[in-house]
Amino acid sequence: MTRPRIKVLALGGTIATRPDASGAMQMGLGADDLVAAVPILATLAEIDAETVSRVGSHSLGFDQIHALAARIAALEVDGVVVTQGTDTLEETSFLLDLLLDRDIPVIVTAAMRNPALTSPDGPGNLLAAVRVACDPWVRAHARALGVMVVMLDEVYAAADVLKVHPTRLNAFAAPQAGPLAALVEDRVVPLALPVRDAIVVARARLGDASGGKESPVALLWLGLDEPGYLLEAIVDHRDQLGYRGVVLGAMGGGHVPERATPLVVRLAGIVPTVVSPRAGGGPMLRQTYGGPSSEIALRKAGLIWGGRLHPLKARVLLETCLRAGLGRATIAEVFDAFG
Ligand code: ASP
């Protein structure tokens, strides 16, 4: 049987580090090194490895992920595995999912434990990602699955996966939706298909988002008794600050502190402002609570309702909408599709 052709694209991250003379871990390994560390890969797939960059994922940018998506869109292969750092994987994988509409598996993986530690997880995660990319069920449902993240033998939808711990090995989860599949021995055990209606709506509105200009979005977390001085700074100095949109990590089902409400409302009149759940995702309320700082009044005042996305993913989506040149009403429709 012919082996599937799998492209491995390496961006950097802990999975690609090696120790310097002081023992500090530095970016260094390329895609060939990662593949060479897992000899069994050659029996599963025809691997073509390419080093795209050697940077920590905390330093990746929107432009780089747009360029990566364009590269993946043009590849003639049976599957793609991207390796990168874990720090922004929940954002980059979601952006790839918004930009790519391919019928081959596209998988992002990484490592929490670096190669100098006992039992690093990078080689196992790369092997699992390639196994998932080669699996017949995954290949048959690739478009329905969208971009996937494989960590510790679990497969997650890019729209749902979150990094839920800064250091431990099992740092990834999809708290709202759970995993799409599990890897057991060498078998992929399917568990679910993701609900992708919102991604389909977003893609239809976004069109070709790749040509647009960087459109910085501020992410502001609203805590107890927040006075809103940063909101005021954006209201008064938007042009100097350069932000084109704002995502508010809001309380509960969509509430903000009452003292900050007038500023939140003024802000929404100046730049597209999305209210997103600081609880970390999950559908928000629309018509339960009254009063000026709750969902009914905020929605009436023109705040865009974030839906089930985590605020980090809402920020990625808003940047992508603004880059694509969408106006406020269309942006609201896109977010609305996320429930
Ligand atoms: N700072 C690293 C990165 O995201 C951490 C990691 O890979 O886990 O690139």
Side-chain angles (χ1 to χ4, degrees):
M1 217 177 75
T2 55
R3 292 165 300 157
R5 295 161 304 158
I6 304 295
K7 182 84 176 179
V8 174
L9 296 164
L11 304 188
T14 289
I15 193 169
T17 52
R18 58 181 169 206
D20 66 16
S22 75
M25 300 307 289
Q26 303 278 4
M27 295 302 140
L29 304 180
D32 285 334
D33 303 309
L34 301 185
V35 170
V38 192
I40 194 177
L41 290 178
T43 68
L44 302 174
E46 207 182 294
I47 304 274
D48 178 23
E50 181 182 326
T51 306
V52 176
S53 60
R54 294 173 201 256
V55 297
S57 73
H58 45 279
S59 299
L60 287 170
F62 280 91
D63 287 347
Q64 280 158 286
I65 302 303
H66 278 264
L68 180 69
R71 176 101 183 79
I72 293 172
L75 288 173
E76 284 184 25
V77 291
D78 300 310
V80 178
V81 172
V82 175
T83 65
Q84 65 156 88
T86 60
D87 287 350
T88 58
L89 189 151
E90 62 204 306
E91 294 158 87
T92 57
S93 59
F94 179 53
L95 180 54
L96 286 175
D97 200 24
L98 288 171
L99 300 176
L100 285 169
D101 188 14
R102 291 217 55 173
D103 57 359
I104 56 167
V106 177
I107 294 170
V108 187
T109 193
M112 287 300 293
R113 291 172 64 80
N114 71 59
L117 294 171
T118 305
S119 63
D121 53 326
N125 284 341
L126 178 58
L127 174 57
V130 172
R131 276 199 203 285
V132 171
C134 295
D135 177 78
W137 178 80
V138 171
R139 290 177 66 184
H141 294 86
R143 202 183 286 279
L145 288 161
V147 173
M148 290 161 274
V149 169
V150 172
M151 293 293 286
L152 279 192
D153 291 350
E154 291 204 315
V155 183
Y156 302 101
D160 295 312
V161 72
L162 301 178
K163 184 173 181 180
V164 295
H165 197 277
T167 52
R168 73 182 185 214
L169 189 58
N170 58 336
F172 284 82
Q176 293 295 318
L180 302 177
L183 191 68
V184 181
E185 300 165 337
D186 58 359
R187 294 170 294 128
V188 172
V189 179
L191 299 172
L193 285 174
V195 177
R196 293 186 58 72
D197 307 39
I199 300 278
V200 172
V201 169
R203 284 222 200 93
R205 302 287 187 281
L206 287 168
D208 180 9
S210 58
K213 250 183 54 210
E214 180 187 48
S215 302
V217 172
L219 173 56
L220 301 177
W221 224 252
L222 297 179
L224 178 73
D225 204 22
E226 168 61 50
Y229 301 141
L230 286 172
L231 305 176
E232 195 165 21
I234 300 177
V235 167
D236 291 344
H237 307 288
R238 188 195 86 149
D239 287 339
Q240 292 95 314
L241 288 174
Y243 288 116
R244 298 284 167 259
V246 177
V247 171
L248 300 174
M251 293 146 163
H255 305 153
V256 301
E258 192 133 339
R259 66 184 293 195
T261 303
L263 284 166
V264 166
V265 170
R266 278 178 64 201
L267 185 67
I270 291 172
V271 289
T273 303
V274 173
V275 173
S276 186
R278 73 171 198 181
M284 297 163 70
L285 298 174
R286 294 183 177 195
Q287 50 186 20
T288 298
Y289 292 99
S293 56
S294 295
E295 72 277 5
I296 294 172
L298 293 175
R299 282 166 61 78
K300 268 199 196 127
L303 275 296
I304 296 170
W305 228 233
R308 71 179 168 91
L309 295 171
H310 187 283
L312 285 171
K313 293 185 197 275
R315 178 177 168 275
V316 167
L317 182 58
L318 182 55
E319 209 277 352
T320 311
C321 288
L322 292 168
R323 190 182 277 254
L326 303 190
R328 200 204 154 280
T330 315
I331 295 172
E333 274 173 38
V334 169
F335 275 92
D336 216 46
F338 283 88

